[in-house]
Structure formats: C-alpha cells, structure tokens
Amino acid sequence: MTDNRRTLALLTFAVTLAGVAHAGTAKTPWHDARQMIVVTTAGWNVDHGTLRTFERAGDGWREVRAAVPVTVGKNGAGWGLGLNAPQTDGGGPVKREGDNRSPAGVFRIGDSFGYAASVDTAMPYLALNATEYCVDVSGAKHYNRIVDASVVGAAAVKGSTEPMRRDLHAHGDQRYRMGFVIEQNPANVPQAGSCIFAHLWKSPSDATAGCTAMTPAVMQSLLAWLKPEDHPVFVLLPQGEYERLRTAWQLPAIAATDAAR
C-alpha cells in the first residue's frame, strides 16, 4: 500500500470510529434525567418484575436502593408511547386500550397523588377527592387525564372505569392511596392506552390492568426520593429488550437474574 493510500485508510478508519463513538453517546430525549426507576420482567407476557432505582453519577448511573419485586399488567407488557422512538426490531406487542398490558419504554414521571391531604414528596401532589376520575374512554375530550367531575361535569367522565378515590367507589380499595403518574401516551392518542400509574399492590400475586404495583413501604420510599428538578424517568422493559437497547438508550447495567425474581 502506498503512503497516500495508507493515510486515506487510516483517516477513513478514524472517521468510522468517531461516528460509532458519536452514535453511542448521542443524546437521548431523557438525557437530562438524573433519577431513573427501572422495571424489568422475564418476558413480554410475564405479570411481575423487579424494580431498581438509579441516580446519575457523572456519565453513568449508580444504584441507590436494593431491588424489589413489583407486579405489572395481567397480560405482561407492550410497547407504549413515551420518550423513546417506536420499536420494531425487538418484536413484542403494542400497547392498546384495555389490553391489560403495562407500557414498555421510557416515560417521564408525572404528578404524585393519594388519599391523604399531603405526603412526604417533592413531586407535585394531587390530594384526591371523591369526584376525580382518570378518563379511560378512548376518544373522550379528557381521555387519559385525571379530571374533577365537579369541574368538568358528570357527562365528561361518563363511562370511565377509573374513579381515583377507590376507597370510596370500590369497597375500601387502597391501591390508589399513594402513587404517581407514568406519562404513557402524553398526546392522548385514541386507543393507545390511558391512566397508567405506579400504585400500591393488592397482594404480591395480584397483577394490574396495566400499571406497576408495589408495597406501601416501597412507594413511600420512592415518593420521598423523587425530585422534579432531577427530571425522573420510568423505564419498563423485558430483560431481553433491556439488554438489546441498553447501550443506545444509555441505561444502567443490571444483573440478568434480577428480572426473574
């Protein structure tokens, strides 16, 4: 090889390496997040998983709590509408209204809520009352939003199956006593899924209609830890998808065995 050709080859190789490096460090839509909740499951159709919490440390992530069990949708998970681009390479179902699947992907964490007048959290908090509903009627004006029927009118929540004060509407149910919004389908696309929360579980063996559920102690710890200025995000993925996307999405490294707990 001549000197000119050798120089050209080296330059081409250097440009290629630079492109690969840039692709690996390209900003994600959640590049400003300094807190991350990660839930992994053993597969698309599994109704339970493992929750872990991370804080950004420099260019990486450090785990700040022990992993804990959670329950997810009765039928597992399906690709939701969040911060990440739609996925086709990894297969898996797509989240739809009423499918009993938890949305998979990366999502902003929204307001917290609960039955009490206040809770120990820095996140915006909604003290729920008897007339508040999350509207799960696709195509409704307030689809995928928590609204107060005394403000928007009873007709606006007609047909909704999500009264937020479940203790008053569902025989003392405590599952929404503490929780926070997972911002699935923020554009409120019809039939794409609605009213996705992290909330308390009924029991370790009771899956959800699409939310992520946990013990009161875990929820209290999360609410006290979350800070709006740290732009927290919620990640839910089957373990195989997590490993496939981890580098491109700049997610923390986790042990593969954790998802099967």
Side-chain angles (χ1 to χ4, degrees):
M1 182 182 292
T2 66
D3 288 344
N4 286 341
R5 287 182 177 178
R6 184 178 292 107
T7 299
L8 179 60
L10 288 172
L11 285 172
T12 301
F13 181 62
V15 169
T16 301
L17 282 180
V20 170
H22 177 74
T25 59
K27 284 186 176 180
T28 62
W30 52 92
H31 70 273
D32 58 347
R34 295 188 294 276
Q35 292 180 315
M36 182 178 287
I37 297 173
V38 174
V39 173
T40 51
T41 65
W44 283 111
N45 301 319
V46 177
D47 66 3
H48 60 281
T50 301
L51 180 148
R52 304 177 77 100
T53 49
F54 296 87
E55 292 179 352
R56 191 181 293 278
D59 293 331
W61 294 94
R62 65 181 181 90
E63 192 168 358
V64 294
R65 283 173 174 76
V68 295
V70 293
T71 60
V72 298
K74 297 173 185 175
N75 293 328
W79 287 115
L81 297 178
L83 296 172
N84 56 280
Q87 294 297 300
T88 56
D89 293 345
V94 174
K95 170 70 183 167
R96 293 286 183 258
E97 185 66 44
D99 63 1
N100 288 324
R101 289 184 180 274
S102 294
V106 182
F107 309 89
R108 289 288 181 197
I109 293 175
D111 292 355
S112 60
F113 57 80
Y115 299 168
S118 63
V119 297
D120 178 19
T121 186
M123 299 296 286
Y125 177 74
L126 175 62
L128 300 169
N129 62 47
T131 52
E132 270 157 334
Y133 287 75
C134 188
V135 180
D136 57 359
V137 181
S138 186
K141 178 181 178 179
H142 300 292
Y143 177 59
N144 196 30
R145 290 172 53 196
I146 298 174
V147 295
D148 190 335
S150 68
V151 176
V152 300
V157 301
K158 185 178 180 180
S160 175
T161 65
E162 287 283 356
M164 297 302 294
R165 281 300 299 262
R166 295 187 60 82
D167 58 331
L168 302 178
H169 291 271
H171 309 291
D173 192 319
Q174 295 296 304
R175 280 175 283 185
Y176 289 178
R177 180 166 62 85
M178 289 184 290
F180 58 82
V181 175
I182 297 169
E183 294 189 352
Q184 143 72 6
N185 190 17
N188 307 326
V189 176
Q191 295 297 333
S194 63
C195 306
I196 302 299
F197 311 130
H199 61 70
L200 308 185
W201 66 20
K202 186 176 181 181
S203 80
S205 59
D206 279 286
T208 74
C211 297
T212 297
M214 63 202 70
T215 68
V218 171
M219 178 60 71
Q220 282 181 312
S221 176
L222 290 177
L223 290 177
W225 171 68
L226 289 167
K227 297 180 177 64
E229 64 268 24
D230 285 343
H231 310 289
V233 293
F234 181 92
V235 181
L236 188 149
L237 289 169
Q239 184 70 31
E241 292 301 290
Y242 191 92
E243 291 306 319
R244 179 177 73 86
L245 294 164
R246 186 177 68 80
T247 299
W249 287 11
Q250 299 169 33
L251 303 175
I254 60 173
T257 55
D258 286 337
R261 292 184 181 185

